[in-house]
Amino acid sequence: MTDFIGLPKAEVHIHIEGCFEADDVIANCEAAGIPLRAPRDRLFEAHDLKGFLEMLDWLCGTFRTREQLATTAYKFAQRMGRSGVRYADVIVNPTHWPHWHKDIAGMIDAFDAGFAAAEQDGHPPVGLCVSLLRTQSAAEAIELVELLGDIRHRRVVALSVDGNEAAAGRTGPRFAEAFRRAGAAGLRRTVHAGESSGPEGVRDAIDLLGADRIDHGVRAIEDPELVDLLARKQIALGICPVSNLALGVYRSLADHPIDALRKAGVPVSINTDDPSLLDTTLEASYAACAEAFAWDDETIRQLAATSVQASYADPALKARILTDLADWRS
């Protein structure tokens, strides 16, 4: 049986908002006198992307202290370690966190404290991708980028944008200037696209937002010229197969285009998106895809290598992980 936990790899498309533990959320509610949105066994239940995002807002609204954020960050790094992840880029979207809207710098500091403590204890290092929400304005986007530029926090590696593409409509032109400024400030740029939108969202991410990595991107498969562009430019897709099935983008792994994209030369990696809320792990996602597409060890190794190469880890850490990966045997 293939050891997907022992496989040296990175996770590059995962939201901290999707990694909460039910016990922590319940403790937050008890401390602040917040009524539960649902019984414990249905606390993370949502039936579509709109309901999913509303649930995230409620969950994040229960986090009100620096200690709660630091604990969440520490437990995130622990979760990564249990799955054999050597480095993770985690997305945080400040719009979901109502008690931190006016103190984003403080929120970043609190997360940083938890990540730093975890790394000191031997858990994997984590980079923070701070995300815009698609419904924000161009001015709000620029304001966030200016804040990130002012504080220049060592934990922040990238600007991101996420949210419901289908509901928000085309947003590439709105955020183009913010992403241009982010690039000029030395931030990497990762963009959710090609999930609830079609391939046009992926094209906008490349042409208008300068994306060096795309979160999801699966619906690029509907445009052969776009697939060729992704392969030619080697723009990596952070694909989350289990999430795509849970949220109805595809009906089954047999219908999922991850293997077709891989075979077309597009750099693809396997990720979990929101593992607590979807009740999955990274090793389970690897195992399900390996079975569905009959991947051999060398293909699995290539996918893990792509996850490392597409990550925002520093070059020395990437080199160490890739050396270990070359020695991996299932």
Side-chain angles (χ1 to χ4, degrees), residues 118-142:
E119 190 172 350
Q120 196 166 20
D121 288 345
H123 302 298
V126 177
L128 200 57
C129 304
V130 181
S131 195
L132 297 162
L133 191 65
R134 289 191 180 278
T135 50
Q136 289 183 276
S137 67
E140 288 170 324
I142 289 170

Side-chain angles (χ1 to χ4, degrees), residues 285-302:
S285 293
Y286 268 90
C289 289
E291 182 179 2
F293 301 114
W295 287 337
D296 60 17
D297 281 3
E298 190 51 40
T299 300
I300 293 163
R301 195 192 316 275
Q302 289 168 2

Side-chain angles (χ1 to χ4, degrees), residues 12-13 190-194 202-203 205-206 211-221 226-227 229-231 234-241 244 250 256-262 264-271 303 306-307 310-311:
V12 300
H13 181 178
T190 183
V191 177
H192 275 62
V202 178
R203 198 172 285 279
I206 299 167
D212 53 64
R213 192 172 74 210
I214 293 172
D215 298 318
H216 295 300
V218 285
R219 293 188 59 194
I221 198 69
L226 179 58
V227 172
L229 178 67
L230 290 166
Q234 287 293 284
I235 297 173
L237 306 184
I239 296 177
C240 305
N244 293 158
Y250 298 102
H256 198 285
I258 185 170
D259 199 47
L261 288 162
R262 180 188 70 81
V266 179
V268 299
S269 64
I270 296 175
N271 306 273
L303 287 157
T306 297
S307 74
S311 78

